[in-house]
Structure formats: structure tokens, C-alpha cells
Amino acid sequence: MPQVHCPRAPQPRLRALVEVAFIIFLFYSNLLMGEFNRTNGPGKRFSVAMVDIFTIKNFAIAIIAASIGYVIFEHLRKQL
């Protein structure tokens, strides 16, 4: 019988980085959708919306929220 090679699990740091990056992606996509819904006036361009949402404050909020989310999901994953 041939031996099946299972890929090894990603390193914990790489996995954490990918999960935090995904949470940040969701955060910014939500901000972008909100920006277009809030101020969907004539002449509103994608580039203007991008400048409006990519600020230092939003980035700090994204990092903090993603880190908290990662810790909570890791805790829940270990509990279940």
C-alpha cells in the first residue's frame, strides 16, 4: 500500500500572521463598503475612498481588533 504524504501544519507564527491578515482584510473591506454607502455622491472615486479609509488610526484599530479576534478564536478553538 502506498504511503500517503500529508502536508505538515503551518508554523504557528505563520498561521497567526495569515489569520490576523485575513481579519484586517475583512475590516478594511467593511470600511470601504461603508465609505461608499455613506458618501455615494456624484464624482466619488475609488481612489478617494481608499485615501479616506487608509489612515494611521484605522490601521491601529485594525491591528488591535485583529489581535483580539485572533486570541479569542484561538481560545475557542482549543476549548472545542
Side-chain angles (χ1 to χ4, degrees):
M1 177 177 278
Q3 191 174 17
V4 178
H5 177 67
C6 294
R8 64 186 180 104
Q11 296 176 353
R13 288 183 182 167
L14 180 61
R15 182 175 155 198
L17 180 67
V18 168
E19 290 183 14
V20 167
F22 184 68
I23 294 171
I24 291 171
F25 167 75
L26 292 176
F27 174 78
Y28 275 109
S29 63
N30 190 22
L31 277 178
L32 185 59
M33 289 188 67
E35 183 70 20
F36 273 107
N37 286 335
R38 182 174 55 91
T39 57
N40 196 10
K44 183 72 171 183
R45 294 189 179 137
F46 183 73
S47 59
V48 173
M50 295 296 280
V51 169
D52 287 348
I53 66 169
F54 283 107
T55 64
I56 297 296
K57 288 180 184 179
N58 283 345
F59 185 69
I61 292 168
I63 293 293
I64 292 168
S67 299
I68 291 170
Y70 173 74
V71 169
I72 290 172
F73 279 110
E74 274 300 307
H75 176 71
L76 291 173
R77 187 177 290 139
K78 289 178 183 179
Q79 294 296 320
L80 300 176

